[in-house]
Amino acid sequence: MMHVLLLKEPREEASGPDPYIKELASHGHKATLIPVLSFKFVSLNTLADKLFQPEKHGGLIFTSPRAVEAVKMCLEESKKRKEEWSKFLRDQWNTKPIYVVGKATAALVQNLGLTPLGEDTGTAEVLSRVIIEREDTNIPPLFFPCGSIKREVLPTALREKGVPLETLTVYQTSEHPDVEKNLRNFFTEQGIPACVAFFSPSGVKFCLELILRLSGDRLTQIKPLCFQFAAVGPTTRDAMAAEGLCVSCTAEKPTAEHLAAGISDALL
């Protein structure tokens, strides 16, 4: 049995453990989750104003589960908001496209009663191509609630093709306050893992140096690192490569199944 370190927060699921832990266990690997990012929601009143004016927008774009959580928080702020959403707002938004990246985001969008489009797009880059194919330049702006560290790929692609877009930062990303303590405990108790999986460029930024230090390795040493590196998608892989890492596997799509399969092949 190989030990895999997953640098992500646990995903709450009614059906039991995080899907990544479950999927890696089915391949015979033991996985440990360590959250590396901390999130703070912002501008929720502005977000509520936008959500309650669907007629002013051509549709919605969600590229992260966290942005959908911000919407959920807005709606749960008051009974009146919840009722209005259920009675007519939700249906008004459903007459417009609700674009998403990935299955996790799509599932949360469905929980809001919305119908997601594009869940098989694994990246914002691919989603932007879907949007450009479908949308005219004379639509009301698509509304894109996003994080403070969003990449500019999607906004730039839409702007270049003249597709109107309105963005709003609804959460800020920072380093998790306990990440150093949790990683030290992991390396002390479990030793060096067979594989370390990164889930975002921010995770690479906040953790990589510490992981290399704790494992007793330096990138400048000639001997190869004693464990494999995995990436949940191409954006994260590029951030890792930019730091000089040799990435053993990149999940074809950002799902537990694809990442577990990639890690298992890399560890053979």
Side-chain angles (χ1 to χ4, degrees), residues 32 48 91 134:
T32 299
D91 293 341
R134 289 178 49 99

Short mmCIF file of all heavy atoms in Angstrom, two decimals, residues 32 48 91 134:
data_model
loop_
_atom_site.label_atom_id
_atom_site.label_comp_id
_atom_site.label_asym_id
_atom_site.label_seq_id
_atom_site.Cartn_x
_atom_site.Cartn_y
_atom_site.Cartn_z
N THR A 32 -4.08 10.87 2.56
CA THR A 32 -4.29 11.83 3.65
C THR A 32 -4.55 13.20 3.03
O THR A 32 -3.84 13.61 2.10
CB THR A 32 -3.04 11.92 4.56
OG1 THR A 32 -2.80 10.65 5.13
CG2 THR A 32 -3.24 12.94 5.67
N ALA A 48 -25.67 39.48 -3.97
CA ALA A 48 -27.12 39.32 -3.84
C ALA A 48 -27.86 40.24 -4.82
O ALA A 48 -28.81 39.82 -5.49
CB ALA A 48 -27.57 39.61 -2.41
N ASP A 91 -36.00 29.96 -11.60
CA ASP A 91 -36.54 29.65 -12.93
C ASP A 91 -36.11 30.70 -13.96
O ASP A 91 -35.85 30.36 -15.12
CB ASP A 91 -38.08 29.57 -12.88
CG ASP A 91 -38.54 28.39 -12.04
OD1 ASP A 91 -37.72 27.46 -11.83
OD2 ASP A 91 -39.70 28.39 -11.58
N ARG A 134 -21.21 29.45 -28.39
CA ARG A 134 -22.65 29.55 -28.15
C ARG A 134 -23.21 30.97 -28.11
O ARG A 134 -24.38 31.19 -28.40
CB ARG A 134 -23.00 28.88 -26.81
CG ARG A 134 -22.89 27.36 -26.79
CD ARG A 134 -23.21 26.85 -25.40
NE ARG A 134 -24.45 27.43 -24.90
CZ ARG A 134 -25.63 26.84 -24.93
NH1 ARG A 134 -25.74 25.63 -25.42
NH2 ARG A 134 -26.71 27.43 -24.45
#
